[in-house]
Amino acid sequence: MRGGEHVSPTPNPLDVALWLASQGYAVHPLAPGGKKPVRGCDRCSRGDSDRPNPAYVEHDKHACPCHTEGRPCHGVLAATTDADRIAGWWVQTPAAGVGVAAGPSGLVILDVDCHGNDVPTDPEQLLPGVELPADIAPGSVCDGRDVLALLVEARRATLPGCAPETLTVRTPSGGLHYWFRAPAGTRWRPQAGALGWQLDVRAGSSYAVAPGTVTRDGAYTVLGDCRTVAELPLWLARDLDRTGHRVRPQRPRVALPWRPRRTGCGYVAAAVEEELRAVAEAQPGTRNSTLNRAAFALGTLCGAGRLDPDRVADALADAARHAGLPERESAAAIRSGLTAGERHPRTPTGAAA
Ligand SMILES: [Zn+2]
Ligand SMILES: [Zn+2]
């Protein structure tokens, strides 16, 4: 903790767990002093590889009867917001730390490591798929915090902690956990290092250690004054989507009712298909903006003579209907998007139209 800051006494784990549950976050107990879940009952614990538990009974942990009976078996799968159940767990193990199940809590937690391990020499390994400035000074990237700063700069975004504020937890090793709410209707999966070097994501079936938990390595503390959780910023959601963290429902195949005008060009066909899919699968809340964007993007190809605007308008109308958009509204959006796009002709290879 920085000098001069008020040092608050370590909160009681039960109070932390109950407070989190009252905010809608599902919690589960962690073994005292550690960051792993408490051991489950005898029939649910496999034991370690060198010391397997002979009492373990093979069963589906997702349908374990212990959960209906209120036992904290299988770690994150036991997580709950039920105050009575939580009180019971911490009466049993008062020193248990608090785990927060990301998926059931609707959280996406950006886990920024601070290991100081060997820094990759290839910039492509720092942030795969992100164009970075050529003049990154050697030695300026030491850990995940620097990699996140590069991503934030590449996206011309702002880092939470500045704005928008969100609950940020400092780990005993100096790492940071930025807590975000998953946008409504979205599901995310955890991965380590897919976004960037030392940038992990806790989501779905994974959990994070709650602030206030004290382990043998030190305490998890809230950084700064922010106690609220912001929605996952759009720029970060896009990067997490791009790097495979988004769980998408099975894509309904959207029939392409026509073929692009110059069938030799795979790029045009692919662009059309991608835009139509995006429109057809758009969730309420993003449907209009997705349709506007798609109409504009395809309009640029119409402007370059690659597509027939009337046919594109028909196909977009089909996709918009599939997404459940009202017909009159979408027809107007399609027209204006196409017209605007046509004024900015785009050719696939960058050659003149
Ligand atoms: Zn059990
Ligand atoms: Zn079990």
Side-chain angles (χ1 to χ4, degrees):
M1 198 163 272
R2 278 170 286 161
E5 246 175 63
H6 173 68
V7 180
S8 49
T10 304
N12 174 347
L14 173 59
D15 292 342
V16 173
L18 288 174
W19 182 82
L20 287 165
S22 74
Q23 306 292 303
Y25 302 123
V27 298
H28 59 101
L30 305 178
K35 50 181 186 179
K36 292 227 173 95
V38 291
R39 191 179 182 276
C41 76
D42 245 12
R43 67 180 284 285
C44 291
S45 307
R46 279 181 191 274
D48 301 326
S49 50
D50 48 341
R51 247 188 353 161
N53 170 21
Y56 173 71
V57 179
E58 187 73 49
H59 64 285
D60 178 5
K61 59 187 180 180
H62 294 273
C64 178
C66 289
H67 295 151
T68 41
E69 287 157 28
R71 283 189 284 279
C73 300
H74 309 292
V76 69
L77 294 182
T80 184
T81 57
D82 184 296
D84 291 337
R85 185 168 288 193
I86 291 167
W89 288 343
W90 267 273
V91 163
Q92 200 176 357
T93 315
V98 183
V100 181
S105 302
L107 289 172
V108 177
I109 296 172
L110 181 61
D111 173 359
V112 181
D113 287 335
C114 182
H115 289 151
N117 293 341
D118 289 345
V119 184
T121 46
D122 179 3
E124 170 64 13
Q125 286 178 349
L126 289 177
L127 283 165
V130 177
E131 203 164 318
L132 295 177
D135 57 349
I136 301 174
S140 66
V141 175
C142 302
D143 58 42
R145 291 172 301 186
D146 302 321
V147 181
L148 179 59
L150 284 174
L151 178 63
V152 165
E153 199 182 314
R155 299 301 180 235
R156 296 174 215 277
T158 48
L159 195 56
C162 313
E165 289 260 319
T166 197
L167 183 85
T168 306
V169 178
R170 194 176 181 281
T171 75
S173 62
L176 297 171
H177 290 173
Y178 293 100
W179 289 32
F180 296 108
R181 269 183 292 116
T186 62
R187 287 175 58 220
W188 303 83
R189 66 170 64 88
Q191 287 193 87
L195 175 63
W197 179 68
Q198 295 206 351
L199 298 182
D200 302 343
V201 172
R202 311 285 181 91
S205 59
S206 65
Y207 67 95
V209 179
T213 294
V214 180
T215 69
R216 283 179 288 275
D217 296 326
Y220 288 73
T221 54
V222 175
L223 195 71
D225 298 322
C226 184
R227 297 292 184 278
T228 55
V229 176
E231 181 165 296
L232 185 65
L234 190 59
W235 66 269
L236 185 53
R238 285 198 181 122
D239 274 310
L240 294 183
D241 191 1
R242 178 181 59 80
T243 48
H245 295 85
R246 175 107 185 247
V247 180
R248 293 190 170 276
Q250 283 295 333
R251 304 183 123 202
R253 299 292 302 180
V254 181
L256 290 180
W258 45 277
R259 299 203 64 77
R261 222 194 255 173
R262 288 186 202 171
T263 46
C265 182
Y267 173 93
V268 171
V272 170
E273 183 161 353
E274 191 180 319
E275 295 295 349
L276 289 183
R277 263 188 215 297
V279 171
E281 294 168 8
Q283 300 294 319
T286 62
R287 291 182 306 193
N288 286 311
S289 55
T290 306
L291 179 60
N292 289 336
R293 210 197 52 224
F296 181 87
L298 295 180
T300 64
L301 293 170
C302 296
R306 295 300 183 125
L307 291 168
D308 179 311
D310 289 335
R311 289 179 160 195
V312 171
D314 283 351
L316 281 169
D318 272 356
R321 212 173 296 127
H322 190 99
L325 274 169
E327 205 120 339
R328 271 233 317 257
E329 224 174 275
S330 57
I334 291 166
R335 244 334 124 200
S336 68
L338 282 175
T339 309
E342 282 177 83
R343 287 194 210 109
H344 298 86
R346 170 174 66 126
T347 49
T349 56

